[in-house]
Amino acid sequence: MPTPAEQESLRTRLAQARRLLALAQSGLHYATSPFDTERYTEIASIAHHQLAEMASMQTGDVAALFAFETGYANPKLDVRCAVFNPSGQILLVREAVDGLWSLPGGWADVGVSPAENAAKEAREESGYTVNVVRLLAVWDMLKHGHPPSVFHIWKLVFLGEIVRAGEIAGAETDAVQFFDIDDLPALSQGRILPEQIRRLDVLRNNSGVEFD
């Protein structure tokens, strides 16, 4: 188990490699000569190798992750929906990939708004149709205690109100349940943290919006 100092060092090195890759991606987008293209391609290859080493992955696998990341480099957008029942319990879904729990949500889709995306993810992953009431939080995951990631991710969390129940429609989750805020199951901490869920409960009660 890495020490806190080792985890912080890894986060710093990941941030540097992500920044290097972003510069290379943006450089390739604007490059006008074959010499610049060659140089930025080499920089991207170095960044892929650094990310692979830190994430215990093959360099080719990291390159494949970023193969469709073209144009000016931007953070990825993760959209989540926080749904509470009248007793104040929060709706969580179990991720099929790791057996851990999270708020329904995922990467933002092209062609729908962030709020529409949150409602769609809630319906597909939990079976519940919801009305999205308002935005609760915009978080930069680098500023929270999530496990290190090869991506720079911004997280948007919307408050949803239940309209009706249904069946899980997607293959990404295999269970859905309401939990007490103070008795949460094992969470998929790359997606959501227990302190973030507790913060969302505060925000939905005081009409606040949090951003960092």
Side-chain angles (χ1 to χ4, degrees):
M1 182 72 177
T3 66
E6 290 171 336
Q7 290 180 333
E8 185 58 32
S9 175
L10 176 59
R11 287 191 180 93
T12 298
R13 288 182 287 126
L14 275 170
Q16 292 170 341
R18 280 192 299 260
R19 180 59 180 157
L20 186 66
L21 184 56
L23 290 170
Q25 181 179 320
S26 297
L28 285 168
H29 178 65
Y30 290 111
T32 57
S33 78
F35 301 104
D36 287 341
T37 298
E38 182 179 0
R39 292 187 184 97
Y40 284 121
T41 299
E42 182 178 357
I43 292 172
S45 179
I46 293 170
H48 289 154
H49 179 75
Q50 291 176 337
L51 289 168
E53 185 177 15
M54 287 180 278
S56 300
M57 298 172 64
Q58 296 294 320
T59 301
D61 293 338
V62 173
L65 278 177
F66 288 91
F68 297 103
E69 301 289 326
T70 59
Y72 189 84
N74 294 298
K76 295 183 76 66
L77 192 61
D78 177 37
V79 180
R80 300 276 157 181
C81 193
V83 180
F84 298 83
N85 67 13
S87 299
Q89 295 176 311
I90 191 162
L91 177 72
L92 298 179
V93 294
R94 190 171 63 193
E95 301 287 342
V97 68
D98 57 15
L100 301 174
W101 294 80
S102 178
L103 298 178
W107 297 131
D109 292 325
V110 173
V112 295
S113 72
E116 291 169 341
N117 206 109
K120 180 177 73 69
E121 292 286 345
R123 184 176 64 256
E124 292 176 353
E125 295 191 354
S126 74
Y128 284 94
T129 297
V130 303
N131 283 332
V132 171
V133 179
R134 62 184 178 87
L135 180 67
L136 291 178
V138 180
W139 288 323
D140 182 341
M141 289 181 63
L142 295 181
K143 296 185 177 183
H144 296 258
H146 295 278
S149 170
V150 297
F151 294 114
H152 183 187
I153 302 168
W154 292 353
K155 185 183 298 292
L156 274 62
V157 185
F158 290 87
L159 178 63
E161 290 185 348
I162 295 173
V163 176
R164 60 181 176 273
E167 299 293 329
I168 295 174
E172 296 179 354
T173 58
D174 58 14
V176 56
Q177 188 174 332
F178 284 93
F179 292 91
D180 291 333
I181 298 297
D182 296 323
D183 190 22
L184 297 171
L187 297 177
S188 181
Q189 297 199 6
R191 297 177 173 88
I192 197 69
L193 301 172
E195 57 266 31
Q196 290 174 326
I197 289 180
R198 290 191 289 269
R199 184 61 184 155
L200 292 169
D201 186 41
V202 172
L203 291 167
R204 62 116 179 180
N205 283 313
N206 66 12
S207 301
V209 179
E210 183 169 277
F211 55 90
D212 58 21

